[in-house]
Amino acid sequence: MTTTPRKDPGQRSESHPYVSEAHEGKPPFEWGVAALVVVSAILAAFGHLLGATLVISVTSIVCAAIRLTLRERSPWKIRSVGFDAFFGFALGIGLVMDWAAIMLW
């Protein structure tokens, strides 16, 4: 049995927000990012913490730069351009700073 979503009487169907992957990132790019996360996990498992940290950091910074440069044509979309770029750069820089702080402590 299938159900159809109820529509609010005062809401037009054109103003419905997009919630599916069809309007977000490109799957091949996302799989590439997932592969880099797996590479990072393998590096970390073998004790190469700097390498693992750098793979994730560079991936995050490159994704943020691509999102900022290509804007709506970007293959990496999560939320708005500002949100994606800010958190991508913050994660990339923050991970390297955390690694350095731990190693230098």
Side-chain angles (χ1 to χ4, degrees), residues 16-98:
H16 182 62
Y18 294 119
V19 293
S20 69
E21 289 288 323
H23 297 284
E24 294 177 0
K26 305 285 186 250
F29 188 85
E30 292 171 348
W31 279 107
V33 171
L36 289 170
V37 169
V38 169
V39 167
S40 178
I42 292 169
L43 286 171
F46 284 108
H48 300 286
L49 299 181
L50 174 60
T53 303
L54 289 177
V55 168
I56 292 290
S57 295
V58 170
T59 301
S60 179
I61 290 170
V62 167
C63 288
I66 288 172
R67 179 70 165 126
L68 192 59
T69 304
L70 296 179
R71 307 200 62 82
E72 294 306 317
R73 296 176 300 139
S74 172
W76 183 255
K77 295 179 186 177
I78 299 171
R79 296 283 180 216
S80 68
V81 173
F83 179 93
D84 293 347
F86 173 79
F87 282 102
F89 288 126
L91 176 65
I93 294 167
L95 281 175
V96 172
M97 289 174 56
D98 286 342

